[in-house]
Amino acid sequence: MVTRAAQQKMSTGQRLKARQASNEQEVRLTVKAVLPPPGTPLDVKGALKALHKVGSLALRPNIRKKVLAKLTEELAKTLPQTSIKPTDLGAKDFADLADRMVKMLERAGYAEYGIAELRRKRAGLRHNFAGELFEQLVLNHGELQAIFRDLAEDGLRTALDVITAEAVLRQTLSAADYAGKTRLLTAKGQPALLDLASFVDKNGRSLVTIERVVDIRTRVGNSWRMFTDTAYVVRFTPVGGGTPRVMILVETEIKLPAAARDFSGQVSEAQFRHGAADEIEMRGLESGAKHTFTPDNVIFDVGGISRNAVTITRRRTMTAAFRYVEYAGGGREQYTRIGLSVQVDELRRLIALLFRI
Protein backbone atom coordinates (compact mmCIF):
# COMPACT_ATOMS: atom_id res chain seq x y z
CA MET A 1 0.00 0.00 0.00
CA VAL A 2 1.20 3.56 -0.74
CA THR A 3 1.35 5.97 2.23
CA ARG A 4 0.15 9.59 2.00
CA ALA A 5 3.65 10.92 2.74
CA ALA A 6 5.10 8.88 -0.10
CA GLN A 7 2.34 10.06 -2.48
CA GLN A 8 3.14 13.72 -1.82
CA LYS A 9 6.66 13.23 -3.18
CA MET A 10 5.47 11.57 -6.40
CA SER A 11 4.74 13.14 -9.77
CA THR A 12 1.21 12.93 -11.18
CA GLY A 13 2.17 9.99 -13.39
CA GLN A 14 3.82 8.19 -10.52
CA ARG A 15 0.79 8.74 -8.27
CA LEU A 16 -1.55 7.30 -10.92
CA LYS A 17 0.67 4.28 -11.40
CA ALA A 18 0.89 3.77 -7.64
CA ARG A 19 -2.89 4.07 -7.27
CA GLN A 20 -3.44 1.43 -9.96
CA ALA A 21 -0.93 -0.88 -8.29
CA SER A 22 -2.61 -0.29 -4.93
CA ASN A 23 -6.05 -1.04 -6.39
CA GLU A 24 -4.77 -4.20 -8.00
CA GLN A 25 -3.25 -5.34 -4.73
CA GLU A 26 -6.57 -4.72 -2.93
CA VAL A 27 -8.42 -6.73 -5.54
CA ARG A 28 -6.05 -9.65 -5.24
CA LEU A 29 -6.32 -9.60 -1.46
CA THR A 30 -10.10 -9.20 -1.52
CA VAL A 31 -11.04 -11.55 -4.35
CA LYS A 32 -7.89 -13.64 -4.75
CA ALA A 33 -10.06 -16.75 -4.88
CA VAL A 34 -11.44 -15.60 -8.26
CA LEU A 35 -8.07 -14.88 -9.84
CA PRO A 36 -6.93 -18.46 -10.34
CA PRO A 37 -3.82 -19.67 -12.14
CA PRO A 38 -4.29 -20.76 -15.77
CA GLY A 39 -6.35 -23.92 -16.12
CA THR A 40 -8.20 -23.48 -12.82
CA PRO A 41 -12.03 -23.02 -13.05
CA LEU A 42 -13.18 -19.39 -12.71
CA ASP A 43 -15.54 -18.19 -9.97
CA VAL A 44 -17.67 -15.92 -12.18
CA LYS A 45 -19.70 -14.50 -9.30
CA GLY A 46 -16.55 -13.42 -7.50
CA ALA A 47 -15.06 -12.01 -10.69
CA LEU A 48 -18.11 -9.77 -11.13
CA LYS A 49 -17.60 -8.48 -7.61
CA ALA A 50 -14.06 -7.60 -8.63
CA LEU A 51 -15.46 -5.72 -11.61
CA HIS A 52 -17.75 -3.77 -9.28
CA LYS A 53 -14.75 -2.66 -7.26
CA VAL A 54 -12.22 -1.61 -9.86
CA GLY A 55 -13.81 -1.82 -13.29
CA SER A 56 -11.82 -3.85 -15.78
CA LEU A 57 -8.44 -3.20 -14.09
CA ALA A 58 -7.85 -6.75 -12.83
CA LEU A 59 -9.99 -8.63 -15.35
CA ARG A 60 -8.39 -10.32 -18.31
CA PRO A 61 -10.44 -10.44 -21.54
CA ASN A 62 -11.43 -14.08 -20.98
CA ILE A 63 -12.71 -13.22 -17.49
CA ARG A 64 -14.66 -10.23 -18.80
CA LYS A 65 -16.29 -12.51 -21.36
CA LYS A 66 -17.50 -14.88 -18.65
CA VAL A 67 -18.70 -11.98 -16.50
CA LEU A 68 -20.78 -10.70 -19.40
CA ALA A 69 -22.20 -14.19 -19.91
CA LYS A 70 -23.33 -14.28 -16.28
CA LEU A 71 -24.90 -10.82 -16.45
CA THR A 72 -26.63 -11.75 -19.72
CA GLU A 73 -28.10 -14.80 -18.00
CA GLU A 74 -29.40 -12.70 -15.09
CA LEU A 75 -30.90 -10.10 -17.43
CA ALA A 76 -32.68 -12.85 -19.37
CA LYS A 77 -34.30 -13.92 -16.09
CA THR A 78 -35.12 -10.47 -14.75
CA LEU A 79 -36.10 -8.33 -17.74
CA PRO A 80 -39.15 -10.42 -18.79
CA GLN A 81 -40.57 -9.71 -15.33
CA THR A 82 -40.64 -5.99 -16.16
CA SER A 83 -42.24 -3.89 -18.91
CA ILE A 84 -38.80 -3.13 -20.40
CA LYS A 85 -37.28 -4.88 -23.42
CA PRO A 86 -33.61 -4.72 -24.49
CA THR A 87 -34.62 -2.71 -27.57
CA ASP A 88 -36.22 -0.09 -25.30
CA LEU A 89 -32.71 0.59 -24.01
CA GLY A 90 -31.09 0.68 -27.44
CA ALA A 91 -29.74 -2.88 -27.21
CA LYS A 92 -30.23 -5.66 -29.75
CA ASP A 93 -30.60 -8.40 -27.16
CA PHE A 94 -29.72 -9.39 -23.59
CA ALA A 95 -26.02 -9.83 -24.40
CA ASP A 96 -25.80 -6.39 -25.97
CA LEU A 97 -27.58 -4.87 -22.96
CA ALA A 98 -25.16 -6.62 -20.57
CA ASP A 99 -22.22 -5.15 -22.48
CA ARG A 100 -23.74 -1.66 -22.30
CA MET A 101 -24.33 -1.96 -18.56
CA VAL A 102 -20.76 -3.09 -17.89
CA LYS A 103 -19.53 -0.13 -19.92
CA MET A 104 -21.54 2.13 -17.62
CA LEU A 105 -19.44 0.82 -14.74
CA GLU A 106 -16.25 1.47 -16.66
CA ARG A 107 -17.33 5.00 -17.64
CA ALA A 108 -17.94 5.73 -13.97
CA GLY A 109 -14.18 5.52 -13.49
CA TYR A 110 -14.14 2.50 -11.20
CA ALA A 111 -10.44 1.96 -11.89
CA GLU A 112 -9.62 5.42 -10.52
CA TYR A 113 -10.95 4.80 -7.01
CA GLY A 114 -9.98 2.71 -4.03
CA ILE A 115 -12.44 0.15 -2.69
CA ALA A 116 -13.43 2.26 0.33
CA GLU A 117 -14.20 5.22 -1.94
CA LEU A 118 -16.33 3.05 -4.22
CA ARG A 119 -18.41 1.85 -1.29
CA ARG A 120 -19.15 5.47 -0.35
CA LYS A 121 -20.11 6.31 -3.93
CA ARG A 122 -22.43 3.36 -4.48
CA ALA A 123 -25.71 5.23 -3.84
CA GLY A 124 -24.76 8.05 -6.19
CA LEU A 125 -23.59 5.64 -8.86
CA ARG A 126 -26.88 3.75 -8.72
CA HIS A 127 -28.77 7.00 -9.36
CA ASN A 128 -26.42 7.91 -12.23
CA PHE A 129 -26.84 4.49 -13.83
CA ALA A 130 -30.63 4.70 -13.50
CA GLY A 131 -30.45 8.09 -15.21
CA GLU A 132 -28.41 6.60 -18.05
CA LEU A 133 -30.93 3.81 -18.55
CA PHE A 134 -33.83 6.29 -18.55
CA GLU A 135 -32.01 8.40 -21.13
CA GLN A 136 -31.75 5.32 -23.35
CA LEU A 137 -35.48 4.68 -22.86
CA VAL A 138 -36.23 8.20 -24.09
CA LEU A 139 -33.82 7.99 -27.04
CA ASN A 140 -35.42 4.72 -28.14
CA HIS A 141 -39.06 5.61 -27.40
CA GLY A 142 -40.68 5.22 -30.82
CA GLU A 143 -43.81 7.31 -30.23
CA LEU A 144 -41.96 10.17 -28.54
CA GLN A 145 -39.14 10.34 -31.09
CA ALA A 146 -41.70 10.34 -33.93
CA ILE A 147 -43.28 13.41 -32.31
CA PHE A 148 -39.90 15.12 -31.99
CA ARG A 149 -39.01 14.37 -35.61
CA ASP A 150 -42.33 15.82 -36.78
CA LEU A 151 -41.62 18.92 -34.70
CA ALA A 152 -38.17 19.17 -36.30
CA GLU A 153 -39.61 18.89 -39.81
CA ASP A 154 -42.21 21.56 -39.01
CA GLY A 155 -39.49 23.72 -37.50
CA LEU A 156 -37.32 23.46 -40.60
CA ARG A 157 -40.23 24.35 -42.91
CA THR A 158 -41.05 27.34 -40.73
CA ALA A 159 -37.41 28.44 -40.64
CA LEU A 160 -37.19 28.32 -44.45
CA ASP A 161 -40.33 30.48 -44.70
CA VAL A 162 -38.80 32.93 -42.22
CA ILE A 163 -35.54 33.04 -44.22
CA THR A 164 -37.51 33.92 -47.36
CA ALA A 165 -39.52 36.63 -45.59
CA GLU A 166 -36.51 38.12 -43.84
CA ALA A 167 -34.54 38.33 -47.08
CA VAL A 168 -37.06 40.98 -48.13
CA LEU A 169 -36.75 42.77 -44.77
CA ARG A 170 -32.97 42.98 -45.16
CA GLN A 171 -33.48 44.94 -48.38
CA THR A 172 -35.93 47.40 -46.87
CA LEU A 173 -34.74 47.95 -43.28
CA SER A 174 -31.57 49.37 -41.81
CA ALA A 175 -29.21 46.90 -40.14
CA ALA A 176 -30.28 48.14 -36.69
CA ASP A 177 -34.01 47.82 -37.45
CA TYR A 178 -33.54 44.40 -39.00
CA ALA A 179 -31.60 43.18 -35.95
CA GLY A 180 -34.59 44.10 -33.80
CA LYS A 181 -37.06 42.13 -35.92
CA THR A 182 -35.24 38.97 -37.03
CA ARG A 183 -36.15 35.63 -35.43
CA LEU A 184 -33.04 33.87 -36.69
CA LEU A 185 -30.22 34.52 -34.25
CA THR A 186 -26.83 33.05 -33.47
CA ALA A 187 -26.10 31.82 -29.96
CA LYS A 188 -24.44 35.20 -29.45
CA GLY A 189 -27.80 36.89 -30.08
CA GLN A 190 -26.71 38.40 -33.40
CA PRO A 191 -28.70 38.17 -36.67
CA ALA A 192 -27.80 34.91 -38.44
CA LEU A 193 -28.21 36.42 -41.96
CA LEU A 194 -29.13 33.13 -43.63
CA ASP A 195 -29.56 32.49 -47.35
CA LEU A 196 -32.22 30.08 -48.62
CA ALA A 197 -29.69 28.74 -51.16
CA SER A 198 -27.79 27.17 -48.25
CA PHE A 199 -30.76 24.86 -47.64
CA VAL A 200 -32.40 24.21 -51.03
CA ASP A 201 -31.07 24.23 -54.59
CA LYS A 202 -32.54 26.27 -57.44
CA ASN A 203 -34.95 23.42 -58.21
CA GLY A 204 -36.30 23.42 -54.68
CA ARG A 205 -34.57 20.20 -53.62
CA SER A 206 -33.32 20.04 -50.06
CA LEU A 207 -29.58 20.31 -49.46
CA VAL A 208 -29.82 19.44 -45.76
CA THR A 209 -30.90 16.46 -43.67
CA ILE A 210 -32.43 16.52 -40.23
CA GLU A 211 -30.32 14.46 -37.85
CA ARG A 212 -30.43 13.55 -34.19
CA VAL A 213 -27.45 14.47 -32.02
CA VAL A 214 -26.62 13.60 -28.42
CA ASP A 215 -24.06 14.54 -25.77
CA ILE A 216 -24.18 18.24 -26.56
CA ARG A 217 -21.56 19.94 -24.44
CA THR A 218 -19.91 23.34 -24.17
CA ARG A 219 -16.33 24.44 -23.58
CA VAL A 220 -15.41 27.54 -21.61
CA GLY A 221 -11.64 27.90 -21.45
CA ASN A 222 -10.28 24.42 -20.69
CA SER A 223 -13.47 23.19 -19.04
CA TRP A 224 -16.04 21.03 -20.85
CA ARG A 225 -19.56 20.66 -19.43
CA MET A 226 -22.49 18.52 -20.52
CA PHE A 227 -25.20 20.82 -21.77
CA THR A 228 -28.17 19.18 -23.52
CA ASP A 229 -28.97 15.48 -23.75
CA THR A 230 -30.28 15.33 -27.31
CA ALA A 231 -31.51 17.50 -30.17
CA TYR A 232 -32.70 17.42 -33.77
CA VAL A 233 -30.59 19.69 -35.96
CA VAL A 234 -29.61 20.50 -39.53
CA ARG A 235 -25.97 21.13 -40.39
CA PHE A 236 -25.25 23.26 -43.46
CA THR A 237 -22.53 25.16 -45.27
CA PRO A 238 -23.29 28.76 -46.28
CA VAL A 239 -23.88 29.23 -49.99
CA GLY A 240 -20.57 29.96 -51.68
CA GLY A 241 -18.62 28.10 -48.98
CA GLY A 242 -17.46 29.02 -45.54
CA THR A 243 -17.51 27.64 -42.02
CA PRO A 244 -20.16 24.94 -41.41
CA ARG A 245 -23.11 26.01 -39.27
CA VAL A 246 -25.87 24.23 -37.40
CA MET A 247 -29.50 25.13 -36.75
CA ILE A 248 -31.08 23.59 -33.65
CA LEU A 249 -34.72 22.68 -34.29
CA VAL A 250 -35.71 20.56 -31.26
CA GLU A 251 -33.93 20.44 -27.89
CA THR A 252 -34.63 17.79 -25.26
CA GLU A 253 -33.36 17.49 -21.71
CA ILE A 254 -33.91 14.19 -19.84
CA LYS A 255 -34.02 13.81 -16.06
CA LEU A 256 -35.34 11.44 -13.44
CA PRO A 257 -37.96 13.01 -11.12
CA ALA A 258 -35.47 13.73 -8.32
CA ALA A 259 -33.45 15.96 -10.66
CA ALA A 260 -36.33 17.39 -12.70
CA ARG A 261 -36.68 20.48 -10.48
CA ASP A 262 -33.80 22.05 -12.42
CA PHE A 263 -35.58 21.72 -15.76
CA SER A 264 -36.88 25.25 -16.18
CA GLY A 265 -33.59 27.11 -16.00
CA GLN A 266 -31.61 24.52 -17.94
CA VAL A 267 -34.08 24.25 -20.83
CA SER A 268 -35.08 27.89 -21.16
CA GLU A 269 -31.59 29.40 -20.98
CA ALA A 270 -30.13 27.16 -23.66
CA GLN A 271 -29.39 29.86 -26.20
CA PHE A 272 -27.71 32.16 -23.68
CA ARG A 273 -25.56 29.36 -22.30
CA HIS A 274 -24.47 28.41 -25.81
CA GLY A 275 -23.51 32.03 -26.37
CA ALA A 276 -21.28 32.08 -23.31
CA ALA A 277 -19.24 29.11 -24.54
CA ASP A 278 -16.04 29.16 -26.55
CA GLU A 279 -17.05 26.01 -28.39
CA ILE A 280 -20.07 23.68 -28.70
CA GLU A 281 -19.68 19.98 -29.48
CA MET A 282 -22.34 17.43 -30.45
CA ARG A 283 -22.26 13.80 -31.59
CA GLY A 284 -24.44 12.28 -34.31
CA LEU A 285 -26.55 9.51 -32.77
CA GLU A 286 -26.46 7.27 -35.84
CA SER A 287 -23.07 8.20 -37.30
CA GLY A 288 -21.18 8.62 -34.03
CA ALA A 289 -19.29 11.51 -35.64
CA LYS A 290 -18.47 14.54 -33.50
CA HIS A 291 -19.15 18.06 -34.78
CA THR A 292 -17.80 21.25 -33.24
CA PHE A 293 -19.08 24.81 -33.71
CA THR A 294 -18.39 28.26 -32.33
CA PRO A 295 -21.39 30.17 -30.88
CA ASP A 296 -21.68 32.46 -33.91
CA ASN A 297 -22.29 29.37 -36.06
CA VAL A 298 -25.06 27.88 -33.87
CA ILE A 299 -28.45 29.15 -35.08
CA PHE A 300 -31.82 29.37 -33.30
CA ASP A 301 -35.21 30.34 -34.69
CA VAL A 302 -36.26 32.00 -31.44
CA GLY A 303 -39.90 31.96 -32.51
CA GLY A 304 -39.99 28.38 -33.67
CA ILE A 305 -37.57 26.16 -31.72
CA SER A 306 -39.19 23.32 -29.77
CA ARG A 307 -37.77 22.93 -26.25
CA ASN A 308 -38.74 19.86 -24.24
CA ALA A 309 -38.10 18.40 -20.81
CA VAL A 310 -38.73 14.67 -20.36
CA THR A 311 -39.17 12.95 -17.03
CA ILE A 312 -41.28 10.16 -15.50
CA THR A 313 -44.97 10.37 -14.62
CA ARG A 314 -46.93 8.16 -12.24
CA ARG A 315 -49.84 8.14 -14.68
CA ARG A 316 -50.39 5.19 -16.97
CA THR A 317 -50.11 7.19 -20.19
CA MET A 318 -47.67 9.78 -21.52
CA THR A 319 -48.41 13.34 -20.39
CA ALA A 320 -47.46 16.73 -21.80
CA ALA A 321 -47.91 20.23 -20.42
CA PHE A 322 -46.62 23.67 -21.37
CA ARG A 323 -44.41 25.48 -18.88
CA TYR A 324 -43.18 29.05 -18.89
CA VAL A 325 -40.06 30.61 -17.40
CA GLU A 326 -39.97 34.30 -16.57
CA TYR A 327 -36.67 36.06 -17.20
CA ALA A 328 -35.25 38.53 -14.71
CA GLY A 329 -34.81 41.08 -17.49
CA GLY A 330 -38.34 40.63 -18.80
CA GLY A 331 -39.96 38.24 -21.24
CA ARG A 332 -40.60 34.53 -20.90
CA GLU A 333 -39.71 31.24 -22.57
CA GLN A 334 -42.01 28.31 -23.23
CA TYR A 335 -41.07 24.64 -23.09
CA THR A 336 -42.99 21.39 -22.96
CA ARG A 337 -42.70 19.12 -19.94
CA ILE A 338 -43.34 15.52 -20.97
CA GLY A 339 -43.94 12.66 -18.58
CA LEU A 340 -43.31 9.07 -19.67
CA SER A 341 -45.12 6.23 -17.98
CA VAL A 342 -42.13 4.28 -16.68
CA GLN A 343 -41.74 2.35 -13.45
CA VAL A 344 -38.67 3.75 -11.69
CA ASP A 345 -38.51 0.56 -9.61
CA GLU A 346 -37.94 -1.42 -12.79
CA LEU A 347 -34.89 0.67 -13.64
CA ARG A 348 -33.60 0.25 -10.11
CA ARG A 349 -34.11 -3.48 -10.34
CA LEU A 350 -31.86 -3.67 -13.39
CA ILE A 351 -29.21 -1.51 -11.74
CA ALA A 352 -29.30 -3.75 -8.68
CA LEU A 353 -28.05 -6.62 -10.85
CA LEU A 354 -24.77 -4.75 -11.32
CA PHE A 355 -24.21 -4.57 -7.59
CA ARG A 356 -25.62 -7.90 -6.40
CA ILE A 357 -24.73 -10.60 -8.93
Side-chain angles (χ1 to χ4, degrees):
M1 304 293 286
V2 180
T3 65
R4 184 178 297 275
Q7 282 186 333
Q8 291 176 346
K9 298 179 180 179
M10 296 179 182
S11 66
T12 301
Q14 289 174 323
R15 284 198 299 271
L16 178 58
K17 189 174 182 180
R19 169 56 66 85
Q20 290 174 335
S22 176
N23 278 344
E24 190 170 62
Q25 182 181 358
E26 287 189 71
V27 170
R28 294 188 179 280
L29 289 172
T30 305
V31 292
K32 57 185 178 183
V34 304
L35 296 172
T40 304
L42 170 71
D43 179 350
V44 174
K45 182 175 181 180
L48 187 56
K49 289 181 179 178
L51 176 65
H52 297 168
K53 291 185 172 70
V54 293
S56 59
L57 175 65
L59 295 178
R60 298 187 298 273
N62 65 316
I63 295 179
R64 191 177 193 277
K65 182 178 179 180
K66 292 180 181 180
V67 167
L68 287 174
K70 180 62 177 178
L71 184 54
T72 300
E73 177 186 332
E74 294 301 319
L75 285 170
K77 293 177 184 176
T78 303
L79 215 58
Q81 300 173 24
T82 74
S83 62
I84 301 172
K85 303 184 294 295
T87 51
D88 294 334
L89 297 168
K92 298 179 299 226
D93 49 33
F94 295 120
D96 188 27
L97 179 56
D99 184 66
R100 289 166 185 254
M101 292 177 73
V102 168
K103 285 177 180 175
M104 284 196 307
L105 289 171
E106 295 168 345
R107 282 199 303 273
Y110 263 44
E112 298 175 8
Y113 303 107
I115 290 177
E117 291 173 288
L118 291 172
R119 287 171 180 157
R120 290 195 300 270
K121 295 175 181 290
R122 179 171 293 191
L125 288 172
R126 283 187 175 182
H127 182 78
N128 289 343
F129 294 160
E132 284 203 44
L133 289 183
F134 179 57
E135 183 175 327
Q136 289 304 312
L137 279 173
V138 173
L139 293 176
N140 292 280
H141 194 287
E143 179 183 3
L144 185 60
Q145 293 304 325
I147 292 171
F148 288 158
R149 178 163 283 279
D150 286 344
L151 288 171
E153 291 173 352
D154 288 343
L156 179 57
R157 284 192 291 268
T158 299
L160 296 183
D161 289 341
V162 172
I163 291 171
T164 301
E166 291 193 354
V168 177
L169 286 180
R170 290 214 302 267
Q171 297 175 359
T172 58
L173 297 178
S174 67
D177 289 340
Y178 174 75
K181 291 182 178 295
T182 180
R183 285 174 33 168
L184 300 167
L185 300 175
T186 70
K188 290 288 190 182
Q190 301 300 315
L193 304 176
L194 303 180
D195 193 316
L196 189 64
S198 300
F199 297 85
V200 295
D201 65 16
K202 59 184 179 182
N203 296 315
R205 291 176 298 210
S206 178
L207 298 174
V208 297
T209 302
I210 294 174
E211 63 180 313
R212 192 155 43 133
V213 296
V214 293
D215 300 337
I216 303 168
R217 59 182 194 150
T218 58
R219 180 181 63 80
V220 177
N222 294 322
S223 176
W224 283 95
R225 297 187 64 182
M226 288 303 299
F227 178 67
T228 304
D229 291 319
T230 181
Y232 282 87
V233 306
V234 287
R235 291 181 294 113
F236 63 97
T237 300
V239 61
T243 304
R245 311 183 87 181
V246 63
M247 180 184 291
I248 299 180
L249 304 169
V250 176
E251 283 184 329
T252 303
E253 187 64 27
I254 306 165
K255 291 184 183 294
L256 290 173
R261 288 185 293 271
D262 298 330
F263 263 150
S264 58
Q266 186 164 354
V267 174
S268 64
E269 297 172 3
Q271 179 179 340
F272 306 111
R273 291 169 61 199
H274 273 110
D278 296 318
E279 197 173 25
I280 299 102
E281 180 187 86
M282 55 192 70
R283 177 173 61 83
L285 183 62
E286 282 78 26
S287 67
K290 290 183 179 181
H291 309 286
T292 304
F293 304 91
T294 55
D296 54 329
N297 287 310
V298 178
I299 314 299
F300 296 85
D301 175 1
V302 295
I305 186 171
S306 172
R307 292 194 167 107
N308 306 278
V310 182
T311 187
I312 290 175
T313 180
R314 294 181 179 179
R315 298 182 182 181
R316 295 186 178 182
T317 57
M318 185 167 61
T319 63
F322 292 122
R323 293 286 187 272
Y324 296 91
V325 180
E326 302 289 340
Y327 292 127
R332 66 178 184 173
E333 184 81 46
Q334 173 184 299
Y335 70 95
T336 307
R337 184 183 176 107
I338 298 170
L340 291 187
S341 180
V342 176
Q343 296 296 321
V344 180
D345 288 344
E346 292 185 346
L347 294 178
R348 291 172 178 162
R349 188 174 179 183
L350 296 186
I351 295 302
L353 293 178
L354 288 171
F355 291 91
R356 290 207 304 255
I357 290 179

